[in-house]
Amino acid sequence: MRWPPAALSSAEAASGTDGSAVLLEGIELRKSFGPTLALDGAGLRLRAGEVVAVMGPSGSGKSTLLHCLAGILRPDSGRVTYRGTELTGLPDSSLSRLRRTEFGFVFQFGQLVPELTCLENVALPLRLAGVRRKDAENRATEWLARVEVGDVAGKRPGETSGGQEQRVAVARALVSGPKVVFADEPTGALDSLNGERVMRLLVDASKETNVGVLLVTHEPRVAAYSDREVVVRDGISREVELAG
Amino acid sequence: MSIGHTLLGLLEAGPRHGYDLKRAYDERFGHDKPLHYGQVYSTLSRLLRDGLVEVDGVETGDGPDRKRYAITSIGVTDVEGWLATPEKPEPYLQNTLYAKVVLAMLSGRRAEMVLDTQRAAHLRVMRQLTHRKSKGDLADQLICDHALFHLEADLRWLELTASRLGQLAEEVRA
Ligand SMILES: Nc1ncnc2c1ncn2[C@@H]1O[C@H](COP(=O)(O)OP(=O)(O)OP(=O)(O)O)[C@@H](O)[C@H]1O
Ligand SMILES: [Mg+2]
């Protein structure tokens, strides 16, 4: 075969995300757990419609950064701003409402409620937002079909394969139309083909509905679905600028 | 692999004779492909001509090995630039990448810089392949996958190297 395979034209390669509004921004974030300094001045900026990969060694602070940006953890110092509102100043109740209405989450595993069926799991964010059962379940059914796991609607998560479960999780993260999806190793437990499916779903959501996706991954092939990457080392984030 | 840059990098630790330099190179980077004396001296004379090294002292007697070479400040800048420039992503880069990581550590620079820069260069190509795969037919997908897995292997190896840096740093300084 040819090596390297033919490059794209510059028009094809252009990401097209420049100039979009900044959705989420973390500045100078510090966070300690007892004696462990997990974040030491990390920051990150995410725009609408953009997929940003967060990479770096194990224990470097990637998940902590994601949790601070998502309002799951409160940083010791620094600021997190979501569409102009500073999260660090909000009470817990507003933070959890924000997470429910504006954010979606996909983790490596164990995020679905085991007692509920897959359909009920996907409908859950809508139910919590006050949508009537019938409507919520109709929309959940549409989403399950869209991520190509309509056939597991009536099963509980424990009765599905890992790849199916992760697609259900993506449907649940996207069903309520979030502005930002936080994905921490979403493909970590999947084989290559299922990992690729999950990434396509996230990227398509980002490009079609302008969702910002923050993707923590240690897999370069998964990071290759992003528009750019941020590297975290020792609690400090950095973006590499290449010339040319 | 760029022998000139590697020899320059080794000279950053201090001036050496050509023979010494060859030995240091072979030990660290030339396991299966030691340098010929001819290569060492022709490289050194090119570096000398370009002002990247200078003769630091000459012992009595003749032959090129009487000369001791030292890196110049232009030479240091040259090594610096080389380390900061990612290699073109293609298979079987490990010799060059390994040399860069080792030389960065030997000279007290941050080896992670080499890794992060190379990751950025690799990911740039991997993004193009991923994009092309999403638009292409099955044959296109298979070809791109092959390339993607090979590029990923480079990066995984680099990441493993990075997480072993502490250990490696001790070994190269020993
Ligand atoms: N709840 C916690 N309590 C105590 N220490 C924590 C907690 N969460 C994280 N840490 C510590 O903070 C540091 C950063 O952890 P973090 O989970 O952010 O790393 P990471 O980059 O996500 O690693 P990995 O790639 O292994 O998931 C680590 O030293 C970790 O042990
Ligand atoms: Mg983590």
Side-chain angles (χ1 to χ4, degrees):
Chain A
M1 68 168 276
R2 287 162 299 151
W3 186 276
L8 297 171
S9 72
S10 55
E12 274 180 302
S15 68
T17 55
D18 294 4
S20 305
V22 173
L23 270 182
L24 183 68
E25 183 167 24
I27 301 170
E28 279 291 300
L29 299 172
R30 269 167 235 283
K31 177 76 186 173
S32 294
F33 299 102
T36 308
L37 183 58
L39 292 183
D40 187 15
L44 193 148
R45 183 180 275 184
L46 180 70
R47 293 172 188 279
E50 183 183 43
V51 181
V52 174
V54 178
M55 304 192 78
S58 180
S60 59
K62 303 181 296 293
S63 296
T64 307
L65 176 61
L66 180 136
H67 292 150
C68 286
L69 290 167
I72 296 172
L73 276 177
R74 283 182 190 277
D76 300 334
S77 68
R79 279 189 302 151
V80 177
T81 318
Y82 171 68
R83 298 172 107 187
T85 304
E86 198 172 320
L87 299 198
T88 17
L90 295 179
D92 287 348
S93 56
S94 313
L95 273 183
S96 74
R97 193 174 56 240
L98 188 78
R99 285 199 302 269
R100 245 187 4 247
T101 56
E102 306 284 297
F103 297 166
F105 295 88
V106 186
F107 298 117
Q108 186 168 351
F109 36 53
Q111 54 209 306
L112 299 176
V113 183
E115 293 81 9
L116 301 180
T117 63
C118 289
L119 181 75
E120 288 164 342
N121 263 287
V122 177
L124 188 61
L126 297 170
R127 296 286 291 141
L128 290 174
V131 177
R132 287 185 329 172
R133 173 183 293 274
K134 190 89 192 93
D135 295 337
E137 291 192 345
N138 284 341
R139 267 162 72 187
T141 305
E142 281 167 30
W143 265 99
L144 284 175
R146 204 160 143 184
V147 302
E148 295 171 29
V149 285
D151 49 332
V152 303
K155 289 185 171 179
R156 291 180 215 289
E159 300 160 350
T160 64
S161 77
Q164 289 167 335
E165 180 172 345
Q166 205 59 345
R167 277 181 277 162
V168 173
V170 170
R172 193 182 68 166
L174 294 172
V175 69
S176 51
K179 300 282 188 297
V180 182
V181 169
F182 296 90
D184 196 345
E185 300 284 4
T187 63
L190 303 180
D191 66 8
S192 300
L193 197 56
N194 278 301
E196 195 170 302
R197 282 178 175 150
V198 162
M199 284 316 301
R200 277 257 73 86
L201 293 171
L202 290 174
V203 169
D204 289 349
S206 141
K207 302 310 165 207
E208 284 161 21
T209 59
N210 229 19
V211 179
V213 178
L214 197 65
L215 165 73
V216 173
T217 183
H218 69 276
E219 292 180 274
R221 272 177 309 110
V222 172
Y225 285 90
S226 68
D227 298 301
R228 59 190 172 90
E229 82 277 6
V230 168
V231 180
V232 181
R233 288 189 184 283
D234 302 325
I236 301 169
S237 53
R238 179 168 104 89
E239 197 164 343
V240 179
E241 305 276 351
L242 286 181
Chain B
M1 171 148 109
S2 166
I3 296 168
H5 285 117
T6 316
L7 295 184
L8 273 179
L10 288 171
L11 281 175
E12 279 200 286
R16 287 176 197 254
H17 290 93
Y19 175 75
D20 261 2
L21 209 48
K22 172 191 154 41
R23 231 180 22 201
Y25 179 99
D26 288 349
E27 241 166 51
R28 292 208 164 93
F29 310 122
H31 290 293
D32 22 65
K33 224 182 142 205
L35 289 180
H36 301 297
Y37 284 108
Q39 272 176 301
V40 177
Y41 292 114
S42 65
T43 307
L44 281 171
S45 62
R46 180 173 57 77
L47 297 175
L48 198 58
R49 184 198 66 207
D50 296 344
L52 304 176
V53 299
E54 61 195 9
V55 175
D56 180 61
V58 185
E59 277 151 36
T60 49
D62 43 40
D65 204 33
R66 300 291 145 209
K67 289 181 187 156
R68 209 164 55 163
Y69 297 88
I71 189 167
T72 64
S73 61
I74 309 176
V76 172
T77 310
D78 201 58
V79 175
E80 196 105 24
W82 179 62
L83 289 176
T85 311
E87 296 299 312
K88 189 161 175 277
E90 56 194 6
Y92 314 121
L93 276 174
Q94 59 275 45
N95 286 339
T96 310
L97 295 180
Y98 175 72
K100 283 189 170 183
V101 168
V102 170
L103 288 172
M105 282 190 306
L106 276 173
S107 58
R109 295 183 178 91
R110 283 184 66 91
E112 290 98 336
M113 173 196 83
V114 173
L115 309 183
D116 291 345
T117 309
Q118 194 62 52
R119 184 199 284 114
H122 267 59
L123 277 179
R124 180 190 275 182
V125 174
M126 291 177 75
R127 283 191 182 101
Q128 294 173 347
L129 290 165
T130 303
H131 186 79
R132 187 179 133 194
K133 202 166 86 165
S134 74
K135 303 254 183 285
D137 57 14
L138 181 61
D140 235 12
Q141 285 176 13
L142 298 181
I143 287 170
C144 289
D145 277 337
H146 182 263
L148 282 164
F149 275 99
H150 277 81
L151 292 166
E152 174 166 273
D154 281 346
L155 288 176
R156 288 193 160 231
W157 173 83
L158 268 175
E159 260 147 36
L160 185 62
T161 304
S163 53
R164 287 193 170 135
L165 274 187
Q167 202 190 326
L168 202 57
E170 278 168 32
E171 282 170 22
V172 294
R173 284 198 198 102

